[in-house]
Amino acid sequence: MTEAVCLADYESLAAEVLPAEVFDFVAGGSGAETTLRRNRTALDAVSVIPKVLAGVAEADPSTTLLGQSVAFPVAVAPMAYQQLVHPDGELGLAKAASGIPYVISMLSSHPLEEIAAAADIAWFQLYWLRDRGVVESLIDRAVAAGCSALMVTVDVPVMGRRLRDVRNSFVLPTGVIAANLVEGSTGRAHQAAGAVSAVAAHTASVFNPALGWDDLEWLAGRSSLPLVVKGILDPEDARRAVAIGAAGVVVSNHGGRQLDGSVASINALPAVVDAIGNDCQVLLDSGVRGATDILRALASGAAGVLLGRPLLWALAVDDAGTALVRLRDDLIDVLLLAGCADVAAAARLATSRES
Amino acid sequence: MTEAVCLADYESLAAEVLPAEVFDFVAGGSGAETTLRRNRTALDAVSVIPKVLAGVAEADPSTTLLGQSVAFPVAVAPMAYQQLVHPDGELGLAKAASGIPYVISMLSSHPLEEIAAAADIAWFQLYWLRDRGVVESLIDRAVAAGCSALMVTVDVPVMGRRLRDVRNSFVLPTGVIAANLVEGSTGRAHQAAGAVSAVAAHTASVFNPALGWDDLEWLAGRSSLPLVVKGILDPEDARRAVAIGAAGVVVSNHGGRQLDGSVASINALPAVVDAIGNDCQVLLDSGVRGATDILRALASGAAGVLLGRPLLWALAVDDAGTALVRLRDDLIDVLLLAGCADVAAAARLATSRES
Amino acid sequence: MTEAVCLADYESLAAEVLPAEVFDFVAGGSGAETTLRRNRTALDAVSVIPKVLAGVAEADPSTTLLGQSVAFPVAVAPMAYQQLVHPDGELGLAKAASGIPYVISMLSSHPLEEIAAAADIAWFQLYWLRDRGVVESLIDRAVAAGCSALMVTVDVPVMGRRLRDVRNSFVLPTGVIAANLVEGSTGRAHQAAGAVSAVAAHTASVFNPALGWDDLEWLAGRSSLPLVVKGILDPEDARRAVAIGAAGVVVSNHGGRQLDGSVASINALPAVVDAIGNDCQVLLDSGVRGATDILRALASGAAGVLLGRPLLWALAVDDAGTALVRLRDDLIDVLLLAGCADVAAAARLATSRES
Amino acid sequence: MTEAVCLADYESLAAEVLPAEVFDFVAGGSGAETTLRRNRTALDAVSVIPKVLAGVAEADPSTTLLGQSVAFPVAVAPMAYQQLVHPDGELGLAKAASGIPYVISMLSSHPLEEIAAAADIAWFQLYWLRDRGVVESLIDRAVAAGCSALMVTVDVPVMGRRLRDVRNSFVLPTGVIAANLVEGSTGRAHQAAGAVSAVAAHTASVFNPALGWDDLEWLAGRSSLPLVVKGILDPEDARRAVAIGAAGVVVSNHGGRQLDGSVASINALPAVVDAIGNDCQVLLDSGVRGATDILRALASGAAGVLLGRPLLWALAVDDAGTALVRLRDDLIDVLLLAGCADVAAAARLATSRES
Ligand SMILES: Cc1cc2nc3c(=O)[nH]c(=O)nc-3n(C[C@H](O)[C@H](O)[C@H](O)COP(=O)(O)O)c2cc1C
Ligand SMILES: Cc1cc2nc3c(=O)[nH]c(=O)nc-3n(C[C@H](O)[C@H](O)[C@H](O)COP(=O)(O)O)c2cc1C
Ligand SMILES: Cc1cc2nc3c(=O)[nH]c(=O)nc-3n(C[C@H](O)[C@H](O)[C@H](O)COP(=O)(O)O)c2cc1C
Ligand SMILES: Cc1cc2nc3c(=O)[nH]c(=O)nc-3n(C[C@H](O)[C@H](O)[C@H](O)COP(=O)(O)O)c2cc1C
């Protein structure tokens, strides 16, 4: 393949240009990668029943996420260390995300302020650090940088055991750092140590596994930004998040990178939407690879999706902007083909499970 | 393989004689081709429970479609540009369709009048053009040419993104034209333009994506021909079509060429039949490859099927007539093997889903 | 492989010694062979829930079929032209079938009288011929030869289109004849004729496709032998067979050789057993390949199974006797492992569908 | 692969060092190995719905099995003749099983006393021998050696027909003996005899197939050790075991080595837990290959699992201790990732079936 004609094409293009262990770090899942694979088979099994004769000349993919206008119902998923795949790193991808939220990972390799400046809409993603002072300072910095939402990731009490990285003794290259953290704090992530993932070792040393609902409540009150809880699969948990004041929830299994054996996001979605769909926006990620997947998610009750790996692949070949423009175009077509004038119409489509 | 012994054999025979990009244009589906594949897996999963001791010497495959007597419950699906696969094009296939309706595509490469003259039973298929005057003139021409039904295709507000064509930068060969449209109107379809399907570009320029139910109502009143609505998968839509006066509905996902991720036709069929089966005839297409598939469709409530690609493959190797005779013979056998004296008996067979 | 250690092994052993077109004639199914494959996947999906601590030293596999004592609940399925695979033909297989019914095919290549003499228990299988006189004389001969049951096969109004035979232009070798029919009547089966199965042509010329329930009633009254109806998949049909006086029914799709797309026998079984299980014995065939399959059938309500191709494979390598002894031994083990003292206990096992 | 990074890796490492027929003896299942494969597909299909924000710093994997404190909810499954894979045999594996029960197989290749001395927690597994005196003396020896539970295996009235061993004419190497039985009693297991498994022949000669519920009752009263019944899949049987006084039940199909075609353990588990979960502990084995499988079992109602082949593979490459430490570590991570502070929390997780 020489040129991408759809979002899914970037994976093999990126495989040609990236070092194998970097490709593996991005592509891989945890454990036996059961959940990684299931995310795809589960999405593929969701069939949509299109409507016809909608009588609209062009579908409008714009919508609002957390009350903010977006060009189409997609946000760039928070992904750490984007300079791993391209020198432009987060700055490149943030610029590419025209009209949609770019979620800055706490572990970005550029400082959050620079990324926020490059993005149309910036949200900030937070992991829970052992040092609460650092958490507070990061929130303050995100607010100051103009981020318009806070996303707290709750599915990483510890890092999932990603066996590809362990087999590769994966180590962050010097020069790729956690730019938002105090100098040197990623030291561990750069130290080779036998059959161990250095990134996982670093995570273990700085993340606080003991995050609880009280902490979340504290966080909800700590800033005026809308709070999105990322990594929820259980409807009860979704209800608790809403009770605490979450403005959004991301139904996610972290792209199959955390608990191997956890349910596919798309299969967990309907119950979560049933539980909290009237009270808060439900986003979905894990396995989305094109406009049809977005339609599947919308028709299953999601307000929008986060998109992860495909954008890193596109970034790696310097084509993220085109990739997102094409995705929006494809989504317009897909909406039209499903007889939907807009995103709200897509939510009313019927679905069925086929395999 | 040197000789076809069943309808499904023609695909590989045609692959040997056709240019790769023409083969791809016909064979391909949209997007990830999920729906293209699902059409087959879904049909294969429909098992029929045959009856025995029917006490008939020969099964009668004849029936009526839209009140017209047909030799067996099959119509040739409307397919554009048939000269792509054989110089005889539509004239060849129309002649082969002895005793069954040949549906003339609006985008036929021979003029509809010549095709209608060659066919036993001619129906005319209409796409909705931006220029309503052209639509009216086409209807008038179809009536004048003796077409006995009007089929309006409602699942192409825009063309599905067929990635094979995009990868091939597929362009209509000079000489293959949309013979029913005013001269030169297919110019766009002949212009190469990077990673783009020229046929899709042409479609976008002449088709009106904004077709609505009002237009359909206008169309139903515009001619006295029975109106068939092709491309319906949703039972509500089916009810609306009947309310407007449709004499038939084709449950179809356009052979997996339009919305990738849409439900398999055979899986959408039962709900549509439940909704409108008493009021109008329901046909099915997408994935039919032999007599057993016809039986599956009949037993699931269809009055008959449209047959697409396999007939283009047969045409490509100059064998469409034999292909259809053999299909009819196979259907007689299959009816007998299922204990059915006729098509009406097939409708009473029980089915189950196995996989 | 050099030696068979289980029944399923014989297929590849036979493939080494048989001419390819003979192998294909036996192994093949009709059409796309969907039903042929499904017979296996459906059996494999039936899981048995074994009982423990049955407290029996040895399981007893003997039972009665049609009131006749048999060594284990298996009968040799009627299969035509067994000299195709071995010069001993039916005589060889009948001798091997120690203690169990050998069902003589009407199309046997040895005279039925010789086979009946060689068999412990002989049943006679009848196809419905155009000439009723021949039918009557065959019944009389079967009675005279000591056959203890009449099995009428009702799923062959015409022969299923077996594409392997068509591709091979399969012709019965001279010397392999339908020994029970008047001289020369198999002439058609020996004449090569392009892409056509000569055996199918012969069948079409002598079989009466119009067999009905009245004929069956006549047949039930014509002899005092218990009547078994082979080839029933629909519960209504099963009820009618019982009403007419059938002593047994074989739930069968003819090993996937007749209606391609018909339901797997094992999946059709439970509804038939529900319908007639209290009134008559229900046997099963199609896809049985070992003792576990027999257990699956018994636990699903069958009184026993017919075994087809595996025994032809064993006959081809001169090992049918051993194959059947081993199968009985395996069945004893399997019963013990399932905690069943006997065949009646197996009928009480719970099953579930897994895949 | 050069180094194992997870439990499942040991299989291929062991394949490199073990004689093929020993590998086959351990890896193989009975019959067509349907159940062997199904154990895995069924486990893979169980998805867990993790909880978040559990608020615990470290998950505690310790629990009690039969009232005995264990480091994590795993016991080493009883496996015969462990010197087959490593000279240390049972002594090596027992030492590796730090903090968890090591179940001594009656057919251990070291004397049970030596193994019990090497183990932290030793349970003794009993097959039912034809000679009840030997059974009694084994129980007495187990008690005297300090074993703290008696596990009686009830799914081996005869050995399942393991075709790999038959094809390999598998014979126990001289030097690997049933060390607990009187001298020479494994003679049969060492004698080659054509296409036969010598181990199966030995089993048949010494095991009593006729074990019944009365015997179990006798056994329950014979010693004061808690009794665990291994090899139950049917809920009724589970109830009877409890009625007789069983302290635990192992839902097991013997790793697919006994009745081929029997239900996957994990699929049989919920009904057994429903039946007896309040009265006694339910363990599970067959197919467990990592921490996620343990979580699946716990979330499906098991109190813990037995682990078989993976530990023999690890023993074969002298790494069983590390394997178990890593498994415990993985389980801690998996509990954390599922939001579970401990084993009790895991039991409250919801599951779903995906495939
Ligand atoms: C390389 C990589 C790094 C990631 N880093 C983070 C992160 O820093 N914070 C976070 O919340 N999620 C992170 N994720 C998870 C993503 O936000 C997202 O949940 C996941 O990638 C979605 O699945 P997809 O890649 O299949 O689209 C990361 C994922 C990848 C692939
Ligand atoms: C090459 C090709 C051209 C087609 N052109 C048209 C067309 O002009 N109008 C239309 O309504 N459908 C068109 N279709 C769709 C067919 O009418 C039909 O819905 C589809 O081919 C059925 O699926 P099958 O090919 O699997 O039988 C076309 C399909 C193919 C393969
Ligand atoms: C070579 C062959 C010949 C057969 N001939 C007959 C026959 O003469 N009469 C009949 O009733 N069934 C016939 N059958 C069908 C068998 O009786 C039986 O239904 C089928 O083989 C069972 O499936 P199995 O082969 O998978 O066990 C034949 C099957 C084969 C394979
Ligand atoms: C080589 C081998 C020997 C075994 N020996 C015994 C035994 O002596 N007693 C027993 O109760 N189970 C025995 N089993 C069965 C195990 O206890 C256990 O049920 C099974 O291995 C669990 O499945 P797994 O191997 O997939 O974990 C044996 C299994 C294997 C693989």
Side-chain angles (χ1 to χ4, degrees), chain A residues 25-26 77-80 105 107 125 127 153 230 252 254-255 257 285-289 306-310 312:
Chain A
F25 171 69
V26 175
M79 291 178 290
S105 167
L107 297 175
Q125 176 264 328
Y127 282 121
T153 301
K230 175 171 181 276
S252 167
H254 215 102
R257 295 163 78 85
D285 77 14
S286 299
V288 174
R289 295 294 174 267
L306 306 191
L307 194 49
R309 294 176 185 90
L312 287 188

Side-chain angles (χ1 to χ4, degrees), chain A residues 81 107 128-131 156-159 181 184-191 197-209:
Chain A
Y81 304 121
L107 297 175
W128 208 260
L129 300 175
R130 293 186 183 270
D131 181 339
V156 190
V158 290
M159 231 172 111
L181 302 187
S185 78
T186 47
R188 285 282 273 276
H190 294 92
Q191 288 157 18
S197 158
V199 174
H202 171 242
T203 299
S205 70
V206 298
F207 284 26
N208 180 356

Side-chain angles (χ1 to χ4, degrees), chain B residues 3 5-6 9 44-57 292 296 326 330 334 336-337 352 354, chain C residues 38 154 157-158 161 163 166-167 209-213 216 231 233-234 236-237 258-264 267:
Chain B
E3 206 188 337
V5 304
C6 66
D9 281 354
D44 278 336
V46 176
S47 290
V48 169
I49 300 166
K51 307 281 290 181
V52 294
L53 298 169
V56 279
T292 282
R296 287 166 169 144
R326 191 193 292 107
D330 282 355
V334 157
L336 270 178
L337 291 172
S352 70
E354 294 177 297
Chain C
R38 182 122 331 134
V154 295
V158 291
R161 203 169 163 79
L163 299 180
V166 177
R167 289 189 214 284
L211 183 64
W213 290 102
L216 196 70
L233 293 164
D234 180 279
E236 284 292 331
D237 284 354
Q258 289 297 105
L259 177 65
D260 187 46
S262 80
V263 67
N267 286 344

Side-chain angles (χ1 to χ4, degrees), chain A residues 42-243:
Chain A
L43 277 164
D44 279 336
V46 176
S47 290
V48 169
I49 300 167
K51 307 282 290 180
V52 294
L53 298 169
V56 279
E58 204 175 346
D60 178 3
S62 73
T63 186
T64 60
L65 294 179
L66 308 181
Q68 304 166 28
S69 299
V70 300
F72 58 111
V74 167
V76 180
M79 291 178 290
Y81 304 121
Q82 297 181 8
Q83 287 190 80
L84 269 175
V85 303
H86 192 281
D88 291 351
E90 291 80 3
L91 302 181
L93 196 45
K95 260 173 226 147
S98 169
I100 59 171
Y102 176 94
V103 189
I104 304 170
S105 167
M106 189 192 77
L107 297 175
S108 58
S109 54
H110 285 288
L112 71 93
E113 289 80 4
E114 292 178 28
I115 309 172
D120 268 7
I121 305 172
W123 294 355
F124 183 70
Q125 176 264 328
L126 203 64
Y127 282 121
W128 208 260
L129 300 175
R130 293 186 183 270
D131 181 339
R132 189 178 278 209
V134 180
V135 172
E136 297 210 60
S137 104
L138 285 168
I139 297 173
D140 293 341
R141 285 172 62 190
V143 172
C147 292
S148 54
L150 208 57
M151 183 179 283
V152 59
T153 301
V154 295
D155 58 5
V156 190
V158 290
M159 231 172 111
R161 202 169 164 79
R162 314 212 180 124
L163 300 180
R164 299 198 205 194
D165 298 345
V166 176
R167 289 189 215 284
N168 294 334
S169 305
F170 182 65
V171 169
L172 269 197
T174 348
V176 178
I177 57 161
N180 300 317
L181 302 187
V182 290
E183 224 170 342
S185 78
T186 47
R188 285 282 273 276
H190 294 92
Q191 288 157 18
V196 156
S197 158
V199 174
H202 171 242
T203 299
S205 70
V206 298
F207 284 26
N208 180 356
L211 184 64
W213 291 101
D214 291 350
D215 303 295
L216 195 71
E217 197 155 13
W218 171 84
L219 186 65
R222 179 62 183 70
S223 90
S224 55
L225 296 183
L227 182 68
V228 180
V229 184
K230 175 171 181 276
I232 284 199
L233 293 164
D234 180 279
E236 283 292 331
D237 283 354
R239 266 190 222 106
R240 284 182 84 164
V242 170

